[in-house]
Amino acid sequence: MLTSSEQLEKRFTLYKFHSIPDKAHFLNSNKASIRAVVGNASAGADAQLIHQLPNLEIVSSFSVGLDKIDLAKCKERGIRVTNTPDVLTDDVADLAIGLMLAVLRRLCQSDRYVRSGQWKKGDFKLTTKFTGKSVGIIGLGRIGLAIAKRAEAFRCPISYHARTEKSDVNYKYYPSVVELAANCQILVVACALTEETRHIINREVINALGPKGVLINIGRGPHVDEPELVSALVQGRLGGAGLDVFQDEPNVPEELFGLENVVLLPHVGSGTMETRKEMADLVIGNLEAHFLNRPLLTPVL
Amino acid sequence: MAGENPNFQNTDPPTVLVHRFPSFDFPPGNRLSTQFHLLDPITSPPTSPVLLHSIRALLCIGPVPVTPETLNRLPSLQIIVGSSAGVDHIDLTECRRRNIAVTNAGSAFSEDTADYAVALLFGVLRRLPAGDRYVRDGFWPVNGDFPLGFKLGAKRVGILGLGSIGSEVAKRLAAFGCSIAYFSRKKKTSVLFPYYENAIDLAANSDVLIVCCALNDETHHIVNKDVMVALGKEGVIINVGRGPLVDEKQLVEFLVRGELGGAGLDVFENEPNVPKELLERDNVVLSPHCSVATPESFEALQDVIIANLKAFFSNKPLVSPVQKD
């Protein structure tokens, strides 16, 4: 099976921008010929790049998140934008629950306990039951709803906050994130990253969640005020955290490395063989559709 | 028999003999000692053998064996109250012969154990402990992206033993989109999941095998070499039952040769010893027999134990009797 890069290389002339040492020189020499950009969760097309590519027609993102793309600029220039919705919903929702289980039941620490030989000296300590814990979800879109459905199988009461209350769900709505945090034991970030949702998890929310509360972030690093989160965890003001995303990936605050009430993952939300193939198919499908003048598969713009 | 009275609230609490290894005990502050007169030979050896002869109820804390010799010392014994879901350490045949009822933890542990089975499966398929190690050891900035895992919902899950724990596992994994099938001693008429008549057929039609049946003579090494071959090279085995349900030596060989995709193990054949080959593998998640180790489980267990003892001393139906085969 070809990798995404290999598949792109078969059909298009592919430049791997992140591997190019002198980006300015490269852009100067090639800008006129570049008609498409393939981005992902870490890099897309900001205003500067768009400005430097006068013949850019389409940005196809290998992600559902659009926070790395200057959508306003794209709209202004008439540049098409596509992403990869739906195909990764299950994996990301699965991971949210996986993180909840891993944090509450100390899965990683238990594994370490056995591997380091400590079990021979005595039993591991008691952890905390996951079933029945109340789960608060920020953002009840595709991913948020998928998380809710899974958590319900564990008898978790579900509550949520979103821009507007949804009339077709049975979950309790809270008009503010702080109120949601104060009324749930596990808070999960599942909304898009926009100007409004940057640092939606701040000191006030963290304090409301409290010393027995657990934060799960499968959204974007900048959803969380990371220094605040780190100090709350280190000081015990927050009970625990399961984090798949960080402010400045792949760098993770080292103060977290020594904590046993956190699970840290290297942005693997959609990281399965099955889903990455579907995402790649969508990216390539969208590019091919564009260049063949056919309707785009998953257009945002 | 002195002191035994259905309305025991008005008299001395009934006596229950405690049977445990010295290293095993209930967490302090348990509610049992307020409801019953617990006689613990380890902390206060009985002064008179006649006392043992009048014991009607035995509380087994932990997996301490109950053998014919144990039973010979307690001629008046009528009930053994276990503190675990598994009762493989109790000689059930002897108990049946002497008309001694046996109760277990019932469904007190089922949710926690099911949660843990799912956690282990996540650990293997989505590589959680390995990913966490990758970050903490500083490899992410140096080595880049972490290797891909596998989608949960794409897996066909085969549950070995659809009792209380197996049913809770099925309910949870169905919500992730997994297709569920099972093998049990008898087909369950009220269950819609496909049933297979034996472990090999189940394995042949599954990608993941979750072992949560009771350990007895028939189920010893129920997951053997043939089952592992049927499961296949990408197959994953999750064991939250008892170590001896799986042929551990074969399991290690299959994993080392790459003939099995991975394993999540909470129990082992010779705890706390774990085969060292497993300690070196990244496609294995290990845990120190802690699937029920939550405060909530122990509260629920105390509820079940108290309920069973109260029912026994009031001549009412027991709450969680171990079913006869």
Side-chain angles (χ1 to χ4, degrees):
Chain A
M1 197 179 85
L2 296 179
T3 64
S4 316
S5 285
E6 286 162 351
Q7 289 193 63
L8 284 168
E9 272 165 330
K10 270 186 76 176
R11 292 166 170 76
F12 309 103
T13 303
L14 178 71
Y15 299 111
K16 294 184 191 170
F17 194 53
H18 46 280
S19 326
I20 292 165
D22 187 346
K23 292 182 169 57
H25 175 79
F26 167 80
L27 283 177
N28 256 325
S29 320
N30 293 284
K31 57 187 175 191
S33 63
I34 291 174
R35 297 168 64 193
V37 163
V38 173
N40 63 9
S42 344
D46 57 12
Q48 191 191 22
L49 185 67
I50 294 170
H51 183 70
Q52 292 173 295
L53 300 174
N55 295 323
L56 183 61
E57 295 168 25
I58 178 168
V59 177
S60 187
S61 193
F62 191 71
S63 69
V64 68
L66 299 163
D67 44 285
K68 289 285 197 270
I69 300 172
D70 191 324
L71 294 170
K73 252 294 151 322
C74 288
K75 198 156 183 194
E76 199 187 295
R77 285 264 305 268
I79 296 169
R80 306 305 303 275
V81 175
T82 69
N83 63 352
T84 60
D86 297 319
V87 295
L88 49 64
T89 300
D90 285 338
D91 270 350
V92 176
D94 287 354
L95 196 74
I97 304 292
L99 280 168
M100 294 179 199
L101 278 163
V103 172
L104 265 73
R105 299 303 305 271
R106 299 286 192 264
L107 184 75
C108 304
Q109 288 72 18
S110 303
D111 179 82
R112 244 195 296 284
Y113 194 78
V114 176
R115 283 178 206 263
S116 63
Q118 291 176 76
W119 192 14
K120 302 202 184 179
K121 303 193 189 131
D123 280 338
F124 193 59
K125 57 182 175 237
L126 296 184
T127 56
T128 305
K129 185 170 183 166
F130 170 57
T131 283
K133 291 287 186 297
S134 54
V135 172
I137 306 175
I138 303 175
L140 211 63
R142 286 170 292 242
I143 294 175
L145 276 172
I147 294 172
K149 178 178 139 214
R150 284 151 173 74
E152 282 185 304
F154 294 81
R155 293 199 296 107
C156 297
I158 310 288
S159 51
Y160 73 102
H161 168 76
R163 274 172 305 193
T164 50
E165 187 169 358
K166 316 236 167 199
S167 53
D168 53 350
V169 299
N170 257 335
Y171 312 133
K172 182 153 171 61
Y173 174 75
Y174 285 98
S176 76
V177 180
V178 172
E179 276 176 87
L180 180 67
N183 287 285
C184 69
Q185 291 158 302
I186 303 173
L187 183 65
V188 55
V189 182
C191 56
L193 178 65
T194 63
E195 275 309 305
E196 291 97 49
T197 62
R198 191 178 174 279
H199 283 198
I200 197 170
I201 305 293
N202 55 20
R203 173 178 273 247
E204 208 192 343
V205 169
I206 291 170
N207 284 341
L209 194 47
K212 293 224 160 83
V214 172
L215 176 74
I216 304 292
N217 191 4
I218 43 89
R220 286 285 180 267
H223 274 127
V224 174
D225 183 338
E226 202 161 89
E228 277 297 335
L229 176 69
V230 171
S231 80
L233 285 164
V234 164
Q235 291 164 14
R237 285 183 288 115
L238 181 62
L243 308 169
D244 186 42
V245 287
F246 303 87
Q247 179 82 37
D248 176 38
E249 296 168 20
N251 302 302
V252 174
E254 290 192 8
E255 300 94 310
L256 297 177
F257 292 179
L259 299 179
E260 65 122 70
N261 56 345
V262 303
V263 174
L264 310 167
L265 295 177
H267 202 153
V268 295
S270 62
T272 67
M273 306 284 282
E274 295 92 340
T275 294
R276 287 291 166 85
K277 179 181 184 310
E278 286 198 79
M279 288 166 69
D281 287 346
L282 262 184
V283 167
I284 289 168
N286 274 304
L287 289 172
E288 286 190 326
H290 171 78
F291 289 114
L292 291 171
N293 273 319
R294 295 208 186 113
L296 299 180
L297 304 177
T298 49
V300 172
L301 283 179
Chain B
M1 280 170 260
E4 308 304 353
N5 185 321
N7 298 315
F8 63 78
Q9 292 92 336
N10 302 326
T11 65
D12 292 332
T15 300
V16 177
L17 183 68
V18 174
H19 187 50
R20 62 180 178 94
F21 288 129
S23 54
F24 263 84
D25 204 353
F26 266 175
N30 71 78
R31 287 173 277 135
L32 298 166
S33 43
T34 58
Q35 308 247 7
F36 307 98
H37 173 228
L38 297 181
L39 190 64
D40 189 340
I42 291 177
T43 51
S44 35
T47 47
S48 153
V50 172
L51 191 55
L52 284 185
H53 281 217
S54 66
I55 291 290
R56 292 174 62 207
L58 185 72
L59 172 62
C60 241
I61 299 184
V64 57
V66 176
T67 62
E69 290 69 45
T70 322
L71 299 176
N72 284 341
R73 289 198 291 275
L74 304 166
S76 303
L77 192 64
Q78 292 175 282
I79 184 172
I80 299 173
V81 174
S83 68
S84 52
V87 287
D88 45 283
H89 52 289
I90 298 175
D91 189 334
L92 292 178
T93 313
E94 267 304 305
C95 290
R96 219 164 286 137
R97 198 174 71 75
R98 299 172 194 229
N99 237 350
I100 298 171
V102 178
T103 66
N104 65 358
S107 55
F109 294 154
S110 303
E111 288 178 332
D112 273 312
T113 308
D115 285 357
Y116 212 77
V118 175
L120 284 170
L121 185 58
F122 263 114
V124 176
L125 293 180
R126 298 299 299 269
R127 305 176 185 266
L128 297 186
D132 179 81
R133 270 200 298 279
Y134 192 74
V135 174
R136 285 181 207 249
D137 290 347
F139 287 122
W140 196 11
V142 175
N143 289 354
D145 284 344
F146 188 64
L148 298 179
F150 297 96
K151 183 173 180 156
L152 232 85
K155 297 299 183 197
R156 299 167 300 168
V157 171
I159 302 183
L160 262 172
L162 205 70
S164 183
I165 296 170
S167 313
E168 296 286 345
V169 172
K171 192 168 78 169
R172 282 151 178 72
L173 290 179
F176 293 93
C178 301
S179 63
I180 312 280
Y182 74 103
F183 159 69
S184 215
R185 266 173 317 192
K186 285 195 291 269
K187 183 171 177 186
K188 315 232 168 201
T189 44
S190 56
V191 167
L192 298 174
F193 303 129
Y195 171 75
Y196 288 93
E197 308 228 309
N198 56 66
I200 293 183
D201 286 348
L202 180 68
N205 290 282
S206 303
D207 306 304
V208 172
L209 218 53
I210 308 209
V211 186
C212 33
C213 52
L215 176 64
N216 52 46
D217 288 334
E218 287 107 57
T219 60
H220 183 265
H221 282 194
I222 190 174
V223 181
N224 59 16
K225 179 174 174 179
D226 295 332
V227 168
M228 292 181 211
V229 167
L231 191 58
K233 280 194 185 314
E234 314 267 308
V236 172
I237 294 175
I238 304 293
N239 190 3
V240 290
R242 285 283 177 270
L245 288 166
V246 173
D247 185 338
E248 198 164 276
K249 200 154 155 293
Q250 286 294 337
L251 179 70
V252 169
E253 279 185 37
F254 270 69
L255 284 166
V256 164
R257 289 198 304 255
E259 293 182 12
L260 205 58
L265 309 167
D266 185 48
V267 287
F268 304 87
E269 292 217 63
N270 184 23
E271 296 170 15
N273 301 300
V274 174
K276 72 166 173 17
E277 297 90 332
L278 295 182
L279 301 178
E280 297 151 12
R281 306 208 68 78
D282 244 10
N283 59 346
V284 163
V285 177
L286 308 164
S287 58
H289 200 152
C290 58
S291 72
V292 307
T294 65
E296 292 90 341
S297 252
F298 283 114
E299 284 303 309
L301 174 65
Q302 286 181 68
D303 288 342
V304 169
I305 288 177
I306 289 169
N308 274 309
L309 285 170
K310 275 191 171 161
F312 170 69
F313 286 117
S314 331
N315 287 319
K316 297 216 174 89
L318 300 174
V319 167
S320 56
V322 173
Q323 300 303 337
K324 299 187 190 322
D325 272 342

